[in-house]
Amino acid sequence: MTRVVLVEDHDMVAEAIGLALERAGIEVIARATTVATALADSRRGTPDVVLLDRRLPDGDGTALIPELVKGGAKVLVLTGEATASVAARVAEAGGSGLILKSARLDELVDAVRKVADGEVVFDPKLLSGVFDRLTGRIRVAGATLTAREQETLLLLADGAGTDQISTRLGVARNTARNHVQRVLDKLGARSKLEAVTIARREGLLD
């Protein structure tokens, strides 16, 4: 029997997925709701598959993938929005697949079975973008952002203006303005709003 650790912090979603898996003969050995408990449960339970939500209360679930894979589990990521950029991050970290939360339960069960059997499960529409990003054939928007520019981007996404960015980063207003301009230049954006839109599309804010 395939053994699964389910990592999902929304009770109703987790209950529906858990019931669907159990009815399909897949054993849910643990249900985690945070990054920390997901890692602990996976180390203790040695699952075949970790069904991993991306957005958890204490961090990004995809950051766990290398550790989970190192422990012998295959990882199938649950996400609300799938882009080639996000899929590439999952694949690069060692994940075996990506499935939308809006997928039917039978599709999710099928994906878990395939991943347990050693298959890779990505939407065919994303695969070409995944390969292009992993092989470097196209530049991912934001790939060259510095740590300070990434902080600036996050503040822009929160709706912060230049003065607020200056205060939050502890830099002069002109320096904050320069950070914003470099973010726009690197993302190929003409405005702050467009920069945030591009960043969301590329998975830089997920």
Side-chain angles (χ1 to χ4, degrees):
M1 181 182 286
T2 299
R3 293 157 47 84
V4 171
V5 167
L6 173 58
V7 186
E8 169 58 61
D9 63 317
H10 291 96
D11 291 338
M12 290 181 65
V13 175
E15 184 176 354
I17 292 173
L19 284 172
L21 293 174
E22 295 283 3
R23 286 171 182 164
I26 297 170
E27 183 184 5
V28 179
I29 61 172
R31 182 248 172 144
T33 58
T34 65
V35 168
T37 54
L39 192 55
D41 287 345
S42 297
R43 285 174 172 166
R44 181 170 56 249
T46 60
D48 301 300
V49 177
V50 176
L51 186 55
L52 177 66
D53 190 6
R54 280 185 59 222
R55 294 179 177 176
L56 295 167
D58 58 342
D60 184 348
T62 57
L64 276 179
I65 294 175
E67 281 295 320
L68 295 172
V69 171
K70 190 189 303 181
K74 296 180 176 66
V75 180
L76 176 61
V77 174
L78 274 169
T79 182
E81 182 182 2
T83 64
S85 178
V86 170
R89 281 164 47 198
V90 170
E92 194 169 26
S96 296
L98 185 76
I99 188 164
L100 284 168
K101 286 189 175 184
S102 58
R104 298 194 314 269
L105 288 173
D106 62 315
E107 293 175 328
L108 189 148
V109 168
D110 186 54
V112 169
R113 283 178 170 150
K114 287 179 176 177
V115 166
D117 288 339
E119 296 183 43
V120 174
V121 180
F122 287 100
D123 187 319
K125 289 180 287 189
L126 298 177
L127 282 179
S128 61
V130 171
F131 292 144
D132 285 344
R133 283 163 170 77
L134 292 182
T135 58
R137 278 186 282 179
I138 64 172
R139 183 179 68 83
V140 178
T144 60
L145 289 179
T146 65
R148 182 47 60 94
E149 289 161 3
Q150 289 171 343
E151 289 180 80
T152 302
L153 175 60
L154 290 173
L155 290 172
L156 288 174
D158 284 341
T162 302
D163 289 336
Q164 291 171 299
I165 292 172
S166 170
T167 301
R168 296 276 290 276
L169 296 183
V171 298
R173 190 179 189 281
N174 282 345
T175 301
R177 188 170 57 193
N178 289 338
H179 287 327
V180 171
Q181 189 56 54
R182 282 196 292 271
V183 169
L184 266 60
D185 290 343
K186 290 183 178 181
L187 293 179
R190 290 165 293 185
S191 68
K192 295 174 183 177
L193 178 60
E194 187 179 8
V196 172
T197 300
I198 291 170
R200 291 197 189 284
R201 186 186 67 216
E202 292 292 333
L204 301 175
L205 296 171
D206 296 325

